Amino acid sequence: MFFSSSPNMGTALAILALAAGCLCNPVSSRADEINYHVIDKQHLDGEVKWDYLIVDAEHRHLFITHGDRVDVFDIDQKQIVGTIADTHGVHGVALAADLNRGFTSNGKDNSVTIFALSTLKVIGLVPTGKKPDGIVYDPASKRVFVANGESGSLTPIDALAGTELGPIPLGGKPEFVAVDGQGRLFVNLEKKNQLLVVDTQKLAITHRYDLSASCDEPAGLSIDPAARRLFVGCHNQKMAIVDADTGNILDAPHIGRGSDATAYDMAPKLAFSSNGDGTLNVISARDATHYQVKQTVITMPGARTMAIDPVSHHVFLLAAEIESTDVAPIKPALRARFKPDTLTLITVSP
């Protein structure tokens, strides 16, 4: 995937030594053999509207935010197996596997829909600020946090009770959010080139990191919780690699145009940037503070968001065919015109 007996005793020992070396350092071996490629493009019915994706590894579901609904795609059967309806203007989905709950951010309704992961049945509805967008579940506090684009705030929600806990003003337009599992949440302020740190128990901002030295308009955000590294996709074609504990920008490798999502896959220790120009960058660490683009995969123009299956390590992206009079979108805000009924699920495999 990333990767006879001999009469001569010296040869046999050499073979054993080589095998032992491979077994002792499997991660670096995989990192040296990166070869991601598109293995499937599958047509999906419906409007050519979409935003974030996320994988429920336990139930083998890919949640596709799709206009006014969330389509639930079985990634093993390769077909739609359910729908979360009436999620008007839905942007993202957060998963609380320990509570058997999912949460959708409904941008047009200023609400969050709560549903059961096992049955896909709707449980409840919670009000938010204006234009909720990015959304994440924090297992440390058992709270869901919603980034409200127009209100410039976070809405924290008690994930079990299904109640809103009062807004957290941010002082700018939030884009995406990530948590470290230890009680800290990170959120990008797109127009201010800032990365904020929020205490998920105290519901208070603790730090504001300035990213402007390397990052213009931070959008996508993901985390390597073990190495304490944040991966920020920026619209000046940089991925800012940020120390989660100090806010220092460690590196800023060049990425594609129109990055709208980043992701981190823990097993192979790789970061990804999905870009509106139709590229997927695969990024690895050279050492503790330096990173490099190991591969650029050609996907489809408009394929700016993604999700990773932690079991198969497949990367899923959505796109659609662009009208011939348009060019590939340079930024997520510059929407191309897509041909009707051409929504495509792209699968990239290592």
Side-chain angles (χ1 to χ4, degrees):
M1 191 167 152
F2 288 102
F3 25 126
S4 113
S5 61
S6 168
N8 185 299
M9 180 61 71
T11 302
L13 290 173
I15 292 172
L16 287 172
L18 179 61
C22 293
L23 289 172
C24 288
N25 197 9
V27 172
S28 62
S29 173
R30 288 172 183 165
D32 291 340
E33 299 174 11
I34 293 172
N35 184 23
Y36 283 78
H37 53 286
V38 175
I39 61 168
D40 190 34
K41 291 184 178 181
Q42 182 172 341
H43 173 265
L44 298 178
D45 292 330
E47 292 183 277
V48 285
K49 294 181 180 180
W50 70 92
D51 204 348
Y52 298 115
L53 306 89
I54 192 169
V55 171
D56 176 359
E58 179 182 351
H59 296 97
R60 310 304 296 147
H61 287 161
L62 172 68
F63 292 96
I64 301 170
T65 59
H66 190 203
D68 290 339
R69 69 178 192 265
V70 179
D71 284 336
V72 185
F73 182 85
D74 188 300
I75 55 183
D76 296 327
Q77 299 179 34
K78 295 186 177 181
Q79 63 181 10
I80 301 293
V81 294
T83 298
I84 313 298
D86 300 322
T87 53
H88 302 292
V90 62
H91 287 285
V93 179
L95 308 179
D98 56 331
L99 303 179
N100 186 34
R101 290 191 172 188
F103 304 79
T104 73
S105 57
N106 310 324
K108 291 182 181 178
D109 286 349
N110 301 328
S111 66
V112 163
T113 298
I114 307 174
F115 65 95
L117 292 176
S118 56
T119 64
L120 306 180
K121 291 183 178 180
V122 172
I123 297 172
L125 197 69
V126 184
T128 66
K130 294 181 179 179
K131 293 189 177 180
D133 193 342
I135 184 170
V136 70
Y137 171 66
D138 173 47
S141 63
K142 297 193 183 302
R143 292 167 175 168
V144 170
F145 291 83
V146 189
N148 304 305
E150 191 170 305
S151 297
S153 65
L154 289 175
T155 296
I157 297 171
D158 184 313
L160 190 57
T163 55
E164 187 263 337
L165 301 175
I168 304 173
L170 299 175
K173 178 182 179 294
E175 184 61 21
F176 205 67
V177 282
V179 294
D180 66 358
Q182 300 177 24
R184 290 204 289 178
L185 175 143
F186 305 88
V187 55
N188 290 328
L189 294 190
E190 184 178 26
K191 301 302 181 183
K192 293 197 171 183
N193 297 339
Q194 292 180 351
L195 179 65
L196 274 56
V197 185
V198 175
D199 186 311
T200 62
Q201 293 285 358
K202 297 179 180 179
L203 303 180
I205 297 169
T206 60
H207 297 86
R208 289 181 182 266
Y209 298 149
D210 182 15
L211 304 181
S212 56
S214 299
C215 179
D216 185 40
E217 295 188 359
L221 178 64
S222 56
I223 186 170
D224 172 0
R228 311 294 298 162
R229 298 291 180 259
L230 295 163
F231 305 96
V232 185
C234 311
H235 288 165
N236 59 334
Q237 295 186 245
K238 297 286 186 180
M239 176 184 276
I241 315 295
V242 181
D243 186 311
D245 297 319
T246 66
N248 292 333
I249 300 175
L250 305 176
D251 207 346
H254 187 86
I255 57 175
R257 294 175 299 166
S259 174
D260 202 30
T262 71
Y264 184 74
D265 194 354
M266 296 182 65
K269 298 186 177 180
L270 295 171
F272 299 81
S273 173
S274 53
N275 313 308
D277 64 3
T279 60
L280 175 71
N281 302 122
V282 187
I283 296 162
S284 68
R286 288 193 285 122
D287 53 43
T289 58
H290 297 90
Y291 289 73
Q292 62 185 335
V293 175
K294 294 288 289 187
Q295 186 184 358
T296 297
V297 182
I298 303 302
T299 56
M300 284 178 65
R304 56 190 174 78
T305 57
M306 67 179 149
I308 296 177
D309 175 15
V311 176
S312 67
H313 305 288
H314 288 171
V315 183
F316 298 100
L317 308 97
L318 281 177
E321 295 180 20
I322 293 177
E323 295 284 2
S324 59
T325 55
D326 282 347
V327 295
I330 295 176
K331 293 184 179 181
L334 303 178
R335 299 291 191 243
R337 289 177 296 177
F338 296 105
K339 295 180 182 179
D341 198 34
T342 63
L343 189 63
T344 303
L345 177 64
I346 306 160
T347 305
V348 176
S349 174

